[in-house]
């Protein structure tokens, strides 16, 4: 994140706080101070366990937050989860079991 003055010059010495917004990951070095160029860099961002979009924010007093997005993909070799034929879109009476037990394949 870069903090600038109205003339576009970087502003040094500004405290910026980074934090996880979605995804449940972790941040190290969450509070940073901008350098001579106005840049603050988070120590590290480890994505959470959920697959899909995850977000990190950067905040400083008096300005709107900035968000960063990352996409967590399944690990190589993890495969995919798919519905088994016949176990989806069934009809049954209230309080009755469906005819085919829902099943997934990894």
């Amino acid at each position: 994140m870069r903090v600038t003055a109205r003339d576009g010059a970087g502003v040094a010495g500004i405290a910026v706080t980074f934090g996880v917004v979605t995804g449940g990951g972790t941040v190290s070095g969450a509070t940073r101070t901008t350098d001579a160029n106005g840049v603050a860099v988070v120590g590290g961002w480890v994505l959470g366990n959920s697959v899909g979009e995850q977000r990190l924010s950067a905040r400083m007093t008096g300005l709107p937050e900035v968000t960063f997005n990352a996409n967590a993909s399944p690990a190589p070799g993890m495969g995919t989860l798919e519905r088994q034929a016949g176990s989806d879109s069934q009809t049954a009476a209230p309080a009755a079991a469906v005819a085919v037990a829902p099943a997934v394949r990894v």
Side-chain angles (χ1 to χ4, degrees):
M1 175 175 176
R2 183 166 190 243
V3 179
T4 59
R6 288 185 182 168
D7 64 3
V11 180
I14 303 296
V16 176
T17 302
F18 294 87
V20 173
V21 177
T22 61
T26 59
V27 173
S28 60
T31 301
R32 299 300 217 182
T33 303
T34 56
D35 63 15
N37 296 313
V39 177
V41 180
V42 69
W45 178 20
V46 176
L47 300 181
N49 292 328
S50 59
V51 172
E53 184 178 80
Q54 302 198 21
R55 293 171 143 192
L56 178 76
S57 69
R59 296 179 181 168
M60 64 166 281
T61 302
L63 291 177
E65 76 177 18
V66 173
T67 57
F68 303 87
N69 299 312
N71 188 40
S73 301
M78 188 173 181
T80 58
L81 192 63
E82 60 186 48
R83 286 186 291 270
Q84 287 293 175
S87 65
D88 189 29
S89 300
Q90 299 181 67
T91 303
V98 291
V100 179
V104 295
R105 179 177 179 218
V106 178

